Amino acid sequence: MDIIDFRAYSPLPKTMKAIADPGSPLGNYVARYHLGDLSGNAMPPERFLEKLDRLNIRYCVMASGGAPNDEVAQYASRSERLVGIASISPHDPYTAVREIQRCYDMGMRLVGLGPYQDGLLANHRLYYPIYAKCCELGMAVVVHTSFNFGRGLRLDTGRPLHLDDVATDFPNLVIVASHGGWPWVPEMAAVAWRHENVYIEVSGHRNKYMVGPGSAWESLFYYGNGPLKEKIVWGSIWPYLDMERQVEEARQLPFKAEVQKLLFFDNAQRILKRCGAIR
């Protein structure tokens, strides 16, 4: 079965350096995940595509992790199977809107937002020019929606309920909520069920721990096998978690066989085609 990995980091040297920087908001993740030196994960597109081939991953959606948008776009341009996410800061709305247009002109069709890093809720007015510009261009937004390990960063910035306002005010905007909204999974399920334009991306957690008693993922599996079966996509969050192991463990998640195909490929393909990231 072909797979779309909707959440990995670009294998650029600057990405690996940035996400391992102990002084950055993401640096604490390296200690939490016991990763050590990540520099060995930097690789040219050809070698990364070989890695994807071994796992039947047809497309990989890559976050910048701190690398410049230009370099992520250039890396992704080496293959139609690689999809870059433009990293945008909302604090200067005029600059943000211009950067979105520039990224669009470079071929990028997804915009990544990290409310926890920005110190804002996802429905903050500073994000609204970004949402409006993405609607204008037909781009999708990928919004961090979960808890975080960042030092000194607010936890409530990841609550899914904040996306309810955004989805209501921008009904034509494709919104992908990263990391499944954990630990507010029932809230995440409610927002995605309520809004046709909201999708749930599941990454950032060892899949084998998601099925244990008290994991808080029960709502995802219950509704994911029913009314939300076309609203969930999967991501490995490589290199924080091992891509091979994540694929193997994800196959054991308690989704019906027909839902597994939707989770691994069809739902993500529909999103990426809608925003023009793939043909």
Side-chain angles (χ1 to χ4, degrees):
M1 177 174 62
D2 283 341
I3 296 170
I4 295 177
D5 184 347
F6 213 95
R7 188 67 175 189
Y9 283 92
S10 61
L12 289 161
K14 288 183 181 177
T15 297
M16 297 304 148
K17 182 178 180 180
I19 64 177
D21 179 3
S24 74
L26 293 177
N28 206 33
Y29 282 72
V30 175
R32 294 283 185 155
Y33 284 102
H34 308 291
L35 295 176
D37 184 12
L38 293 176
S39 61
N41 290 297
M43 64 187 81
E46 296 75 18
R47 190 151 68 90
F48 189 53
L49 289 168
E50 291 175 0
K51 178 181 181 70
L52 301 181
D53 284 339
R54 291 194 294 271
L55 298 171
N56 294 321
I57 296 176
R58 190 189 299 183
Y59 298 103
C60 184
V61 180
M62 307 177 303
S64 70
N69 287 328
D70 306 69
E71 295 188 20
V72 177
Q74 183 179 15
Y75 193 98
S77 71
R78 299 285 293 276
S79 172
E80 63 180 10
R81 297 171 56 194
L82 303 176
V83 178
I85 302 176
S87 180
I88 302 295
S89 169
H91 290 291
D92 182 347
Y94 297 102
T95 299
V97 168
R98 289 195 297 269
E99 179 65 6
I100 292 170
Q101 181 67 59
R102 196 177 72 89
C103 290
Y104 181 88
D105 294 340
M106 289 190 294
M108 305 180 90
R109 296 295 182 265
L110 293 96
V111 164
L113 300 175
Y116 77 108
Q117 293 173 288
D118 298 327
L120 303 172
L121 304 182
N123 59 0
H124 193 281
R125 61 183 178 82
L126 285 176
Y127 285 121
Y128 271 50
I130 294 173
Y131 298 141
K133 186 63 176 180
C134 288
C135 283
E136 175 191 332
L137 297 175
M139 300 175 77
V141 294
V142 183
V143 185
H144 182 282
T145 313
S146 184
F147 86 130
N148 70 81
F149 283 128
R151 297 184 183 90
L153 303 180
R154 291 170 55 186
L155 189 62
D156 67 333
T157 52
R159 285 196 65 177
L161 192 61
H162 305 310
L163 292 177
D164 182 54
D165 288 336
V166 181
T168 298
D169 294 338
F170 297 94
N172 296 320
L173 176 65
V174 175
I175 302 167
V176 182
S178 284
H179 315 312
W182 191 90
W184 307 280
V185 182
E187 190 174 288
M188 181 77 261
V191 173
W193 195 356
R194 171 173 154 81
H195 296 285
E196 291 293 328
N197 56 325
V198 176
Y199 295 83
I200 304 170
E201 174 252 281
V202 181
S203 71
H205 304 263
R206 284 289 303 275
N207 294 313
K208 71 174 186 177
Y209 296 132
M210 296 172 67
V211 299
S215 69
W217 289 103
E218 294 86 354
S219 297
L220 181 80
F221 302 132
Y222 183 80
Y223 292 106
N225 277 310
L228 295 181
K229 65 182 181 181
E230 295 185 346
K231 306 298 292 293
I232 306 173
V233 300
W234 173 84
S236 68
I237 205 169
W238 177 89
Y240 284 127
L241 294 174
D242 180 76
M243 190 178 285
E244 290 84 351
R245 185 179 62 195
Q246 284 294 91
V247 169
E248 180 181 350
E249 291 183 3
R251 295 185 190 280
Q252 308 305 315
L253 293 176
F255 289 112
K256 300 174 184 176
E258 63 269 25
V259 176
Q260 286 256 349
K261 186 174 183 296
L262 294 169
L263 170 76
F264 275 124
F265 191 84
D266 292 355
N267 295 340
Q269 181 188 47
R270 188 166 62 254
I271 294 169
L272 295 176
K273 282 189 172 183
R274 179 173 170 179
C275 68
I278 64 174
R279 295 174 184 158

